[in-house]
């Protein structure tokens, strides 16, 4: 039972203890031998045990430090058994025995130097432990290793017992350093919890006790009936022993395991509680729920959760749950956190280290007996403060192991919760970005569809403009032709009227219908004048329509320029939109000093028309439209001002962008001001806008004089 369990240090320590005990026993027997031959035989047994001691010591150093020690283990377990066999069965290691002042001693054989070489491997044990202590940074582990290291060096002094074997009459004092080393190891076991053998001893003694209890009735029965059957009845005695053996076997197979399970039920209960807690911790969402689950588990150990402290990703400690109400958490710069992060193992209230005062204060503040650090990687993410037993008593190895396993499970649960929170935050962030991207793509798609619709509308308008231009040109030619024939019509009408008047006066009697003739003669002149004026106006309108036909792009090479007065262009443009200005008050403010400037008459008229239509639409058909011209030393200025609602400041920088419109999809294409901007730039001029929300908008077109 002592060799069972998860702690490899316990097994290797017990093996070392057994080899040292055998060495002490046989050495004492050599001293107390009755004669030299007996001393030689006992010396061979003693040397066989000593040859195995270095291998056991190396195993203990390996388990304690966690190092592999391949070569040392190979040498120890290869040479040790070989020297042990040679010592037992040949006189080559121990040749004889001899008396000396303190009793009897063994005499070295011819191969004894090999035994000395094997025993010298024991020196490797303190060397390995010293190297491990040099790189260890955890305070408690350093103190453990220091005590074991000191005990190892003291135990090495037991080699003084080889002096009598070599012929030197030295006193047999090797037992003294071994006892001192054993005391040092006992300090490490009890004071620094190197490992706990109490539970193993208790189980072993329990098993032996149960075995003795089970065997006692059989022994009593044998003692009572054995002598009666033994006298002349060997067969009956044999049958009795066979029956007793079968009964004992049945006891060991049936009753003993049940008793073992009964006495070992606490360990299984703790394992079951840990398994249930692990399953539950995987589903908990908040640290408070996790703390309540930890408190329920500790109740199985007759303890309570003194406090569960969780450290967030920014290093801020927070008490998630406490059995004693509101207790303050440690500060983020407390040495307690640094000490627990380095310790990584269960820490008791009596722990000694750089931060032992902080540990003791924390245990007092939280009413705790142990602190279990929760370490993920190299970072401390929390700690568990465990209260003392409610019924009092000291924790055993099973209980401490359960608390440490509890810390591992809670660490995994907190790490999973952190990962879950990070994944949730990342998922929310990705969803927000996806929604923003979807909204952006939807907006871009709407803009593209709107731009496509405006392009189609613009193409339609351009085609319509070309058609209107062609119709206006044909209409202008016909009207011009009719206007040119009005003069001939007037001359012919005057000749006919004169001939009719002469015929009327030469008639003997007044011709019938004379009044009607007089009326026709009187109205003929005004009618011809009206026809002439209508033809002139129709010709002018056809010319204006032909002038605005979009036969050139704004960025195309300019057409031939001719001197023109801006006032005349404005007036001719107003004639085209007279029907849309019925309720608009038009104010003309022309600068008489402004001379004619070289412009492309048609495109510039298109600019004026767009500005007037935009102003009229902004005022919704009623308001004041002011058209003005100004002369400056460097340029001529044309201004179109309205009394509409104005343009918002956030929209103002974009009004000259192609396809940007504030009129809606059924009213504007977003190309008018862009075309105007291109035409003005083609003239070498500039176009500006000034707008005050609620007060109106003014567009200023500045053109070079030459």
């Amino acid at each position: 039972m002592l060799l069972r369990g998860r702690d490899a240090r316990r097994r290797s320590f017990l093996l070392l203890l057994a080899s040292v005990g055998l060495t002490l026993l046989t050495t004492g027997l050599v001293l107390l031998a009755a004669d030299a031959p007996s001393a030689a035989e006992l010396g061979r047994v003693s040397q066989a045990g000593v040859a195995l001691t270095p291998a056991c010591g190396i195993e203990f150093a390996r388990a304690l430090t966690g190092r592999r020690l391949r070569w040392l283990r190979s040498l120890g377990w290869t040479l040790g058994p070989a020297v042990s066999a040679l010592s037992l069965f040949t006189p080559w290691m121990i040749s004889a025995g001899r008396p000396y002042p303190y009793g009897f001693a063994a005499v070295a054989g011819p191969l004894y130097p090999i035994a000395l070489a094997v025993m010298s491997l024991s020196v490797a044990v303190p060397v390995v432990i010293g190297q491990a202590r040099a790189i260890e940074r955890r305070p408690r582990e350093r103190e453990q290793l220091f005590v074991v290291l000191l005990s190892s060096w003291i135990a090495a002094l037991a080699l003084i017992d080889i002096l009598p074997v070599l012929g030197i009459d030295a006193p047999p004092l090797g037992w003294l350093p071994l006892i001192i080393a054993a005391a040092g190891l006992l300090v490490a076991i009890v004071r620094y919890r190197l490992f706990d053998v109490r539970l193993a001893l208790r189980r072993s003694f329990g098993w032996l006790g149960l075995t003795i209890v089970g065997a006692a009735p059989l022994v009593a029965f044998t003692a009572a009936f054995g002598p009666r059957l033994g006298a002349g009845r060997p067969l009956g005695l044999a049958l009795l022993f066979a029956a007793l053996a079968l009964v004992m076997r049945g006891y060991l197979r049936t009753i003993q395991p049940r008793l073992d399970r009964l006495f070992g039920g606490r360990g299984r209960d703790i394992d079951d509680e840990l398994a249930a807690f692990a399953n539950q911790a995987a589903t908990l969402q908040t640290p408070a729920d996790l703390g309540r689950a930890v408190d329920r588990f500790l109740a199985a150990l007759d303890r309570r959760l003194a406090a569960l402290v969780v450290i967030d990703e920014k290093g801020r400690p927070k008490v998630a749950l406490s059995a004693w109400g509101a207790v303050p958490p440690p500060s983020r710069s407390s040495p307690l956190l640094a000490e627990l992060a380095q310790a990584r193992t269960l820490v008791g209230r009596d722990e000694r280290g750089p931060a032992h005062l902080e540990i003791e204060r924390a245990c007092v503040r939280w009413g705790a007996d142990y602190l279990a650090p929760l370490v993920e990687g190299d970072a401390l993410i929390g700690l568990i403060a465990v209260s003392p037993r409610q019924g009092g008593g000291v924790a055993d190895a099973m209980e401490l192991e359960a608390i440490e396993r509890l810390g591992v499970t809670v660490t995994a649960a907190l790490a999973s919760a952190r990962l879950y929170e990070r994944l949730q935050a990342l998922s929310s962030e990705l969803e927000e970005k996806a929604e923003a991207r979807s909204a952006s793509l939807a907006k871009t798609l709407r803009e593209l569809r709107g731009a496509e619709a405006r392009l189609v509308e613009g193409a339609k308008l351009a085609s319509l403009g070309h058609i209107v231009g062609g119709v206006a040109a044909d209409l202008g030619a016909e009207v011009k032709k009719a206007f040119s024939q009005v003069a001939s019509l007037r001359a012919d009408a005057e000749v006919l009227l004169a001939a009719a008047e002469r015929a009327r006066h030469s008639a003997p009697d007044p011709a019938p219908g004379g009044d009607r003739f007089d009326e026709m003669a009187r109205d003929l002149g005004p009618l011809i004048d009206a026809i002439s004026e209508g033809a002139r106006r129709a010709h002018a309108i056809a010319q204006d329509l032909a002038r605005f036909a979009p036969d050139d792009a704004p960025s195309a090479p300019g057409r031939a320029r001719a001197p023109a007065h801006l006032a005349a262009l404005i007036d001719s443009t107003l004639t085209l939109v007279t029907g849309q200005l019925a309720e608009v008050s038009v104010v003309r403010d022309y600068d008489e000093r402004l001379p004619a400037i070289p412009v492309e008459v048609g495109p510039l008229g298109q600019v004026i028309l767009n500005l007037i239509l935009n102003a009229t639409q902004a005022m919704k058909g009623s308001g004041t439209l002011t058209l003005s011209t100004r002369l400056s030393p460097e340029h001529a200025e044309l201004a179109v001002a309205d009394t509409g609602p104005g343009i918002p400041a956030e929209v103002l920088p974009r009004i000259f962008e192609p396809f940007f419109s504030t009129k809606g999809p059924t009213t504007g294409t977003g190309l008018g001001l862009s075309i105007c901007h291109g035409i003005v730039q083609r003239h070498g001029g500039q176009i500006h806008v000034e707008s005050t929300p609620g007060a109106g908008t003014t567009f200023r077109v500045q053109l070079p004089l030459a």
Side-chain angles (χ1 to χ4, degrees):
M1 295 295 292
L2 281 171
L3 298 178
R4 295 179 184 177
R6 295 189 180 92
D7 197 345
R9 293 179 295 183
R10 182 192 306 164
R11 296 192 296 269
S12 59
F13 175 72
L14 292 177
L15 289 175
L16 178 62
L17 185 64
S19 65
V20 171
L22 178 63
T23 301
L24 287 174
L25 176 63
T26 53
T27 302
L29 292 176
V30 170
L31 290 172
L32 300 176
D35 50 32
S38 300
E41 293 297 329
L42 293 172
R44 293 188 181 101
V45 175
S46 176
Q47 186 60 51
V50 172
L52 296 176
T53 302
C56 296
I58 292 171
E59 285 294 331
F60 177 67
R62 172 178 173 269
L64 185 63
T65 61
R67 301 178 64 180
R68 305 182 70 174
L69 306 177
R70 287 182 177 178
W71 293 104
L72 284 175
R73 291 183 67 208
S74 299
L75 288 174
W77 290 112
T78 301
L79 298 178
V83 171
S84 180
L86 291 174
S87 300
L88 284 174
F89 303 111
T90 70
W92 299 339
M93 294 296 174
I94 301 297
S95 60
R98 69 179 182 88
Y100 88 120
Y102 303 98
F104 283 91
V107 178
L111 297 183
Y112 192 72
I114 298 177
L116 291 178
V118 172
M119 288 187 290
S120 66
L121 292 177
S122 301
V123 181
V125 174
V127 173
V128 171
I129 296 175
Q131 291 175 348
R133 183 179 183 274
I135 61 176
E136 180 61 59
R137 292 295 177 266
R138 293 172 292 180
R140 190 184 71 177
E141 280 69 11
R142 284 181 60 85
E143 294 184 8
Q144 290 176 353
L145 293 175
F146 174 75
V147 175
V148 176
L149 175 64
L150 184 61
S151 301
S152 301
W153 283 118
I154 293 174
L157 298 178
L159 293 176
I160 193 175
D161 282 347
I162 67 174
L163 295 178
V165 179
L166 297 176
I168 301 174
D169 293 338
L173 298 178
W175 58 272
L176 184 59
L178 289 178
I179 292 177
I180 296 175
L185 289 176
L186 181 62
V187 170
I189 291 171
V190 177
R191 179 64 182 83
Y192 297 106
R193 277 204 336 268
L194 183 61
F195 50 83
D196 197 337
V197 298
R198 288 178 296 167
L199 181 63
L201 290 172
R202 186 172 61 193
R203 288 180 176 178
S204 299
F205 287 129
W207 186 87
L208 291 174
L210 292 174
T211 303
I212 293 172
V213 169
L218 301 178
V219 172
F221 180 82
T222 303
F225 293 95
R228 299 179 183 179
L229 296 176
R233 298 174 182 176
L235 180 60
L237 185 61
L239 291 176
L240 174 63
F241 277 103
L244 292 177
L246 289 175
V247 172
M248 191 65 185
R249 179 67 176 175
Y251 171 81
L252 294 176
R253 291 295 300 271
T254 58
I255 300 176
Q256 180 86 22
R258 287 179 172 80
L259 294 175
D260 288 342
R261 284 195 296 272
L262 177 63
F263 284 91
R266 179 167 173 263
R268 285 188 297 275
D269 292 341
I270 291 177
D271 290 340
D272 294 340
E273 290 287 342
L274 271 173
F277 172 75
N279 294 331
Q280 185 181 10
T283 62
L284 298 177
Q285 300 293 330
T286 64
D289 294 337
L290 184 62
R292 284 187 281 272
V294 172
D295 191 48
R296 287 192 295 270
F297 171 78
L298 291 176
L301 303 178
D302 195 26
R303 297 178 182 270
R304 293 206 63 185
L305 173 67
L308 173 62
V309 180
V310 179
I311 302 175
D312 60 18
E313 295 184 358
K314 296 182 179 179
R316 294 174 299 191
K318 178 182 178 182
V319 177
L321 188 68
S322 173
W324 321 119
V327 293
S331 63
R332 61 193 306 174
S333 59
S334 172
L336 171 66
L337 302 182
E339 175 73 9
L340 292 178
Q342 291 183 357
R344 296 176 174 266
T345 56
L346 195 64
V347 174
R349 177 182 290 192
D350 57 350
E351 187 73 18
R352 289 295 177 264
H356 69 279
L357 291 178
E358 290 290 333
I359 294 174
E360 187 174 357
R361 289 171 184 169
C363 290
V364 171
R365 180 168 62 247
W366 296 329
D369 198 14
Y370 293 100
L371 301 180
L374 309 177
V375 181
E376 180 193 14
D378 295 330
L380 183 71
I381 63 174
L383 63 94
I384 299 175
V386 182
S387 72
R389 280 184 173 180
Q390 303 295 309
V394 182
D396 56 19
M398 180 186 298
E399 189 173 346
L400 297 180
E401 181 182 0
I403 296 175
E404 289 184 348
R405 291 168 61 190
L406 170 70
V408 174
T409 305
V410 175
T411 301
L414 285 179
S416 299
R418 277 191 175 185
L419 181 60
Y420 178 75
E421 291 177 357
R422 293 174 189 169
L423 290 177
Q424 272 197 328
L426 182 59
S427 177
S428 301
E429 183 180 356
L430 290 177
E431 288 179 359
E432 292 177 358
K433 290 183 177 180
E435 291 178 359
R437 181 61 59 86
S438 299
S440 176
L441 290 176
K443 180 180 178 182
T444 303
L445 181 59
R446 290 194 300 270
E447 291 179 353
L448 288 175
R449 288 177 177 173
E452 181 182 6
R454 288 193 292 269
L455 282 173
V456 173
E457 187 68 22
K460 291 180 180 179
L461 291 176
S463 300
L464 181 60
H466 284 292
I467 294 172
V468 170
V471 172
D474 295 339
L475 180 62
E478 294 299 326
V479 171
K480 183 178 181 181
K481 182 179 179 181
F483 179 71
S484 64
Q485 292 176 354
V486 170
S488 300
L489 176 63
R490 183 186 297 276
D492 293 342
E494 290 177 354
V495 172
L496 290 174
L497 283 175
E501 185 68 28
R502 286 194 299 272
R504 179 184 177 191
H505 286 295
S506 62
D509 294 321
D515 295 337
R516 177 60 179 161
F517 178 80
D518 291 338
E519 183 179 353
M520 292 174 60
R522 184 174 60 251
D523 294 338
L524 184 60
L527 286 175
I528 293 175
D529 290 339
I531 292 172
S532 177
E533 179 62 23
R536 185 188 66 78
R537 290 184 178 181
H539 184 257
I541 292 173
Q543 284 183 328
D544 289 338
L545 287 175
R547 183 181 303 156
F548 293 113
D551 52 356
D552 290 325
S555 58
R559 293 181 290 184
R561 299 184 183 184
H565 289 277
L566 295 182
L569 284 176
I570 294 173
D571 290 338
S572 64
T573 304
L574 287 174
T575 60
L576 295 176
V577 294
T578 302
Q580 301 184 37
L581 300 177
E583 299 182 6
V584 175
S585 176
V586 180
V587 178
R588 295 177 174 86
D589 184 12
Y590 301 148
D591 191 345
E592 300 295 337
R593 300 173 302 158
L594 186 63
I597 59 174
V599 295
E600 299 174 16
V601 178
L604 188 59
Q606 184 179 353
V607 172
I608 299 172
L609 177 63
N610 281 335
L611 295 180
I612 292 175
L613 290 177
N614 285 344
T616 304
Q617 292 171 358
M619 294 185 295
K620 298 183 179 180
S622 63
T624 301
L625 176 65
T626 303
L627 303 168
S628 60
T629 60
R630 291 290 182 271
L631 175 65
S632 70
E634 297 179 356
H635 55 260
E637 181 180 281
L638 181 152
V640 179
D642 63 66
T643 57
I647 302 174
E650 62 272 12
V651 176
L652 202 60
R654 301 188 59 191
I655 60 173
F656 294 113
E657 294 181 7
F659 306 112
F660 179 78
S661 175
T662 60
K663 302 175 184 178
T666 61
T667 305
T669 63
L671 294 172
L673 289 177
S674 176
I675 293 174
C676 293
H677 186 270
I679 292 173
V680 173
Q681 281 192 333
R682 196 169 70 198
H683 280 77
Q686 295 180 345
I687 182 170
H688 305 284
V689 60
E690 302 169 359
S691 182
T692 302
T697 304
T698 301
F699 283 89
R700 300 185 186 276
V701 178
Q702 297 174 345
L703 300 171
L705 294 175

